[in-house]
Amino acid sequence: MLARYLDHALTLPVEREGYETQCQGAALATLVYLDEQLSTMYAQRFLGEGGPWECWPGSADDDLASYAEGIRDAVVFAAGGNPGIRRRHKSGRD
């Protein structure tokens, strides 16, 4: 599903409102995370030199590493691991 979404979303222009309504970076980081966990390579076709991610106008302003860290933190949080992450997220809501 993520790959199909990215096939379409990486052909879209960057919206005037910015990234508030677009989630290409988060979707790609999630796909990279899943590839790492499942030993698959779905994200590779988006990340290659001259590939869809590099050609999408919004990629220069998106930080995949930050998205990937957020994805990993969310998975750890949801799994009940690393109390430090849980505290940080909990305190961020207050």
Side-chain angles (χ1 to χ4, degrees), residues 1-72:
M1 286 177 63
L2 286 170
R4 283 197 328 227
Y5 166 76
L6 288 166
D7 281 334
H8 174 71
L10 293 177
T11 65
L12 300 173
V14 176
E15 294 179 5
R16 271 190 260 179
E17 299 86 33
Y19 301 102
E20 294 174 14
T21 59
Q22 292 181 297
C23 57
Q24 286 90 332
L28 185 53
T30 301
L31 190 58
V32 169
Y33 173 81
L34 289 171
D35 279 349
E36 291 169 358
Q37 298 304 305
L38 302 172
S39 298
T40 56
M41 297 179 64
Y42 293 104
Q44 288 306 111
R45 68 183 173 104
F46 299 105
L47 294 171
E49 187 174 324
W53 177 250
E54 188 176 283
C55 293
W56 182 60
S59 67
D61 298 324
D62 254 345
D63 182 9
L64 284 180
S66 292
Y67 281 122
E69 182 180 333
I71 299 298
R72 285 183 189 89

